[in-house]
Amino acid sequence: MPEAEKSFYLTTPIYYVNDAPHIGHAYTTVAADVLTRWHRQRQESVWFLTGTDEHGQKVLRTAEANGVTPQDWADRLVETAWKPVLKTLDVRNDDFIRTTQERHETSVQAFLQDLYDKGEIYEGSYEGPYCVGCEEYKLPGDLVDGTGDHEGLKLCPIHGTPVEMLSEQNYFFKMSAYADRLIALYEEHPEFVQPASARNEVVSFVKQGLQDLSISRSTFDWGVPIPWNSSHVLYVWFDALLNYATAVGLDSSDPERKEQFARTWPADVHLVGKDILRFHAVIWPAMLMAAGLPLPKTVFAHGWLLVGGEKMSKSKLTGIAPSDIIDTFGSDAFRYYFMRTIAFGGDGSFSWEDMSARYNGELANGFGNLASRTAAMIGKYFGGSLPTPGEPTEAETALAQVATKAVADAEAAIDRLAIHEAVSAVWTLVDATNGYLADTQPWKLAKEPGELDEAGAGVDGGRLATTLVTATEALRSLAVLLNPITPKAAAALWELLGAEAPLGALDAQPLDSAATFGVLPAGTTVTKGASLFPRLEEQTA
Ligand code: ME8
């Protein structure tokens, strides 16, 4: 049997089920969806995992406060909030892992037992400040001084809440032993932590030396039991990080799952927010090194969506639900806005004014109107049937060159995980096609002698035919390029261009030939259809 192609494997963090998703969570998931759809559009084999992190004190306390068991709470949140939001965002994940699933818990226990047998885990005691919001023991230097109601207390810098002193008899993972190997990893594989600012932070953190990691808890029981001592449960982060490997078949005895692991692991990209960079770039590779497993290729930490200069969060009551925006603008506009306006890797913010301006300016006027104008003119002059173009002039060649460059630039940007640059590159073709129509003015060409026949219909081979076919070809390229970013509008465009009959499904169009003009045959049925992005005042009228 030929060896199956290694999948491009990308993950999001698994989100805590203590609360419902806000647009910060949606941001990571949409970025992951755009990247994986892009790789699929390259016709690669792709695996996209997301899911939920259900153990630990944070979830336990929320469940207790709501008077239900943590399992009931997790089930409720997953079914009413976390899974539905994927639909709302138009996300096409291949799998959804929950850390309370048997497939995860069994593999986690096997992994732990293996590390214990190898002498990587020992028993000891620990006392230190703990942030339940982060589910992390903090170093004293990490904390900030409280003011006002919190005067005299030490606070977590991320959550702004007081830390708690915890003291426990625990099991420890010998993480300190991996500091040198981790430094060597960052040096030999600069692509392992991205962007560069994240890499620098991790390198300087590890260079200060690592402590061993407390990996069990005995003061509550909401977690995966430690296999050799069931009075302890596993520390939630050790449990959670393993999801990336357990979901694709780590330590499974099932032949199909084993085959999946071989085809999928290691992950190509773990996409995370910068709040959880150290867990992914320090603890996770150390765990894998201890187990002798291959390391993921890249951990990419994006920035935060900020509100009033601080990380948006539900606990600070600054979270905006994705549906608040999507109900007005739709999922495509949501995806477009966040991918285009925030440099991927840096912080950003959301404003209704900016969103409305970009929706009307870029999506409705820039792109949607381009499609409807072109289709309307093909309707008016050619009865909705694509004509045969004449010889190209410089204007047509120049537009084709913009398309070629847009694809090349977008491809390169995606490989650098610079999603915002990829969207901008695609948009150069939208702008250039609008410019092309403004320059060639097909509505004026239609008044030139010889462009229309006696019955008033456009003639094949004329300038009018050439400009409309060229604009249609640019739109066909755009449908392919925008399919990963704004999939609903791309599908609607593919339909109005009548492209499926001659060319097949949109998803099956390879990216590398997206910019080649002249593929839609004469006679293809082009229809005006509904606006791809109706202007906002039209929607409410
Ligand atoms: O940390 N801006 O889960 P979590 C941008 N369960 N992204 C944001 C954001 C914001 N304001 N707020 C949240 C956990 N995110 C752990 C992860 S993984 C093995 C375990 C996104 O529910 C961002 O991706 O707190 C961040 O890293 C993640 O949600 C944290 O989600």
Side-chain angles (χ1 to χ4, degrees):
M1 203 172 81
E3 230 176 78
E5 183 193 349
K6 160 84 174 76
S7 297
F8 174 81
Y9 177 32
L10 186 140
T11 66
T12 71
I14 49 168
Y15 305 108
Y16 287 127
V17 289
N18 63 310
D19 215 334
H22 60 63
I23 60 174
H25 305 109
Y27 178 62
T28 318
T29 307
V30 164
D33 191 56
V34 169
L35 288 169
T36 46
R37 282 182 188 257
W38 195 281
H39 279 264
R40 283 196 205 107
Q41 196 76 53
R42 284 181 182 168
Q43 312 303 311
E44 291 172 20
S45 153
V46 169
W47 197 253
F48 170 18
L49 174 73
T50 187
T52 43
D53 189 355
E54 306 187 0
H55 292 129
Q57 255 161 302
K58 183 162 159 147
V59 173
L60 177 62
R61 286 186 187 177
T62 309
E64 282 171 353
N66 285 277
V68 295
T69 67
Q71 186 67 64
D72 282 348
W73 179 259
D75 290 348
R76 186 194 298 176
L77 265 280
V78 166
E79 291 312 321
T80 61
W82 289 95
K83 282 188 172 170
V85 83
L86 298 174
K87 239 183 146 131
T88 309
L89 297 167
D90 209 3
V91 163
R92 198 186 277 184
N93 54 307
D94 294 293
D95 194 4
F96 187 99
I97 183 147
R98 301 181 52 182
T99 51
T100 51
Q101 284 167 339
E102 224 241 7
R103 62 168 169 162
H104 175 72
E105 295 194 352
T106 319
S107 301
V108 165
Q109 287 195 317
F111 181 92
L112 274 181
Q113 187 67 54
D114 177 50
L115 251 52
Y116 190 61
D117 295 344
K118 285 179 169 146
E120 296 283 346
I121 292 172
Y122 64 92
E123 203 173 352
S125 61
Y126 195 82
E127 184 175 326
Y130 191 83
C131 170
V132 175
C134 294
E135 293 279 17
E136 184 185 21
Y137 274 112
K138 297 286 179 184
L139 297 174
D142 289 338
L143 303 176
V144 294
D145 288 321
T147 52
D149 286 353
H150 293 144
E151 189 70 48
L153 297 174
K154 292 286 185 188
L155 309 184
C156 163
I158 296 178
H159 291 90
T161 45
V163 290
E164 302 171 23
M165 282 307 282
L166 287 193
S167 146
E168 276 197 273
Q169 187 72 16
N170 295 334
Y171 290 101
F172 284 78
F173 166 51
K174 290 182 179 168
M175 195 162 73
S176 58
Y178 290 91
D180 291 346
R181 280 181 65 185
L182 287 168
I183 303 267
L185 166 70
Y186 309 140
E187 273 164 17
E188 284 158 28
H189 293 282
E191 76 287 359
F192 178 73
V193 188
Q194 296 184 45
S197 54
R199 181 170 171 271
N200 293 340
E201 186 202 312
V202 166
V203 169
S204 65
F205 174 74
V206 177
K207 280 194 170 158
Q208 289 165 27
L210 290 178
Q211 297 190 336
D212 288 345
L213 182 72
S214 155
I215 61 157
S216 73
R217 301 285 182 267
S218 53
T219 48
F220 61 93
D221 64 0
W222 181 234
V224 178
I226 298 287
W228 59 90
N229 181 349
S230 59
S231 64
H232 284 239
V233 291
L234 183 60
Y235 170 45
V236 64
W237 267 103
F238 217 78
D239 162 3
L241 287 162
L242 278 165
N243 91 86
Y244 303 128
T246 62
V248 293
L250 172 73
D251 286 329
S252 173
S253 51
D254 175 67
E256 259 181 48
R257 301 266 293 146
K258 270 181 183 302
E259 195 271 327
Q260 184 188 17
F261 192 71
R263 182 165 26 93
T264 317
W265 192 257
D268 292 84
V269 183
H270 291 312
L271 217 57
V272 300
K274 65 181 183 182
D275 46 332
I276 56 174
L277 172 64
R278 285 186 199 171
F279 297 99
H280 286 80
V282 181
I283 301 180
W284 180 223
M287 287 165 66
L288 291 166
M289 284 172 181
L293 286 164
L295 305 181
K297 295 192 189 123
T298 293
V299 172
F300 187 96
H302 65 65
W304 284 338
L305 301 193
L306 303 175
V307 175
E310 287 189 43
K311 176 171 175 265
M312 171 182 296
S313 84
K314 274 279 165 77
S315 55
K316 290 180 188 154
L317 301 177
T318 53
I320 302 174
S323 56
D324 289 349
I325 299 174
I326 291 176
D327 287 349
T328 305
F329 295 97
S331 58
D332 277 347
F334 182 97
R335 296 165 63 101
Y336 172 81
Y337 179 82
F338 286 103
M339 294 303 106
R340 170 125 206 209
T341 59
I342 302 172
F344 202 56
D347 293 338
S349 52
F350 166 79
S351 99
W352 289 99
E353 292 79 4
D354 191 32
M355 175 96 204
S356 304
R358 283 179 180 271
Y359 179 92
N360 274 338
E362 293 162 23
L363 294 173
N365 294 349
F367 173 56
N369 193 28
L370 172 65
S372 45
R373 274 195 303 158
T374 306
M377 286 190 278
I378 294 173
K380 181 167 173 191
Y381 301 121
F382 295 96
S385 170
L386 199 67
T388 304
E391 283 301 308
T393 68
E394 237 173 67
E396 285 73 46
T397 316
L399 188 63
Q401 279 167 356
V402 172
T404 305
K405 185 164 166 14
V407 174
D409 288 352
E411 285 273 54
I414 291 290
D415 284 336
R416 290 195 309 278
L417 301 171
I419 304 177
H420 58 296
E421 288 180 23
V423 182
S424 291
V426 173
W427 227 254
T428 60
L429 183 55
V430 174
D431 293 339
T433 311
N434 276 316
Y436 170 79
L437 287 183
D439 290 345
T440 53
Q441 303 196 336
W443 51 94
K444 281 202 180 152
L445 284 176
K447 299 194 175 107
E448 301 274 322
E451 294 288 352
L452 302 184
D453 65 15
E454 278 155 19
V459 296
D460 281 338
R463 283 298 296 155
L464 176 62
T466 308
T467 51
L468 293 180
V469 169
T470 305
T472 305
E473 285 292 343
L475 286 167
R476 183 199 43 76
S477 292
L478 284 170
V480 178
L481 291 166
L482 288 171
N483 194 29
I485 304 161
T486 55
K488 287 196 176 97
L493 179 56
W494 199 246
E495 188 165 341
L496 75 82
L497 295 177
E500 178 126 358
L503 303 180
L506 177 56
D507 287 346
Q509 307 301 310
L511 265 178
D512 52 11
S513 56
T516 311
F517 280 13
V519 279
L520 278 170
T524 301
T525 307
V526 177
T527 40
K528 187 157 176 280
S531 290
L532 298 179
F533 291 98
R535 284 186 60 88
L536 288 177
E537 56 269 22
E538 288 171 28
Q539 282 181 333
T540 48

